Amino acid sequence: MHKGILLFLTAVCGLGNGATTKKKLVTDDPKIYFPEELSNRFNEDNIPDECKGKNYCTVKPAFYDDKKYNKFFNNSKNLDGPQLIVKPILTIDDKIGDDAGDDCDVEVIFKPLYGIRTKRGDWHTVIQAPENNYVQKVRIENCRNENAPCFQGIGYPSEIETGCKQKFSVWEFYVDDGEGGMKKEVSELPICCSCHYRVNFANRIGGGK
């Protein structure tokens, strides 16, 4: 049995064994957790500063339990890696050319993910077990300067305005279920930064800038 599971069962059994130790309950979550249990998983209060404001975290927090997750695979579980659920929507009518050389400044990340945030806003700890060759990571591409002009060397008419636009896709990961096991959760992650355009007819009517 995993050490993490043993710790969880100890906490549950303590509720009904007549113990006099007082524990303050945190009840914002539909389930009941003790404060020490919440500190061992991702939530808004303990995510690393580098990950705040994002839907993902590639920074390994101090509370991350490597031994627990590596033991998940002691029985040679064969699990798929991250699964692409929804591809980014790239509209044909406003996307310009190839992403390569479009003047959009980007940050590309390809590292293991330790936490993801869902559309509901809740954080989950992503399962990583490198000792058993199971690592969950996806290529992330962030616009460094969203809405900045792009393909500037082409020479568009004055009514054409260009800008870099962030695109997202939905990925599915195995995460800690908080009960000594794992489950699947999805998160929307930045996948590419593309050059798009719009027609500003005011510039045409006004005779250009």
Side-chain angles (χ1 to χ4, degrees):
M1 183 177 290
H2 307 313
K3 181 179 179 182
I5 297 177
L6 288 173
L7 292 175
F8 175 79
L9 291 175
T10 300
V12 172
C13 293
L15 292 175
N17 63 4
T20 57
T21 303
K22 294 183 179 179
K23 295 185 178 182
K24 182 179 179 181
L25 295 178
V26 179
T27 57
D28 291 337
D29 196 291
K31 297 180 181 180
I32 296 178
Y33 295 93
F34 295 119
E36 59 266 31
E37 292 173 313
L38 289 175
S39 65
N40 289 326
R41 63 187 184 122
F42 268 90
N43 59 69
E44 290 293 343
D45 295 326
N46 67 4
I47 61 172
D49 290 339
E50 300 93 327
C51 303
K52 292 181 179 178
K54 301 177 181 178
N55 286 345
Y56 64 93
C57 187
T58 59
V59 178
K60 186 177 180 180
F63 59 80
Y64 195 84
D65 195 342
D66 292 278
K67 293 182 179 179
K68 172 184 176 181
Y69 300 138
N70 277 299
K71 285 183 179 179
F72 281 174
F73 293 84
N74 283 351
N75 295 324
S76 300
K77 292 182 180 179
N78 294 317
L79 299 180
D80 295 328
Q83 299 295 306
L84 180 61
I85 306 299
V86 179
K87 294 181 180 180
I89 300 175
L90 299 175
T91 53
I92 297 175
D93 59 344
D94 71 343
K95 185 177 184 295
I96 304 175
D98 194 340
D99 292 342
D102 60 7
D103 299 330
C104 290
D105 189 16
V106 301
E107 174 194 36
V108 177
I109 301 171
F110 190 55
K111 298 178 180 179
L113 277 72
Y114 293 99
I116 56 168
R117 183 169 59 179
T118 67
K119 280 191 174 182
R120 301 186 300 272
D122 52 331
W123 280 90
H124 293 274
T125 304
V126 177
I127 303 297
Q128 302 289 359
E131 291 182 11
N132 289 281
N133 298 317
Y134 187 75
V135 177
Q136 298 190 87
K137 60 182 179 179
V138 300
R139 183 185 185 278
I140 292 174
E141 182 175 301
N142 290 302
C143 290
R144 290 185 184 274
N145 190 9
E146 194 169 10
N147 300 317
C150 43
F151 277 124
Q152 299 180 73
I154 293 181
Y156 294 106
S158 60
E159 63 267 23
I160 300 295
E161 296 181 351
T162 63
C164 297
K165 191 172 183 180
Q166 184 71 65
K167 291 294 183 179
F168 297 84
S169 60
V170 178
W171 289 85
E172 182 180 70
F173 299 88
Y174 280 100
V175 302
D176 191 325
D177 65 5
E179 299 178 350
M182 64 179 78
K183 64 179 181 178
K184 292 181 178 180
E185 282 288 350
V186 298
S187 182
E188 194 175 75
L189 303 179
I191 196 69
C192 66
C193 182
S194 302
C195 186
H196 292 251
Y197 77 89
R198 72 185 184 95
V199 180
N200 188 339
F201 291 103
N203 289 341
R204 177 184 294 178
I205 296 172
K209 294 182 180 178

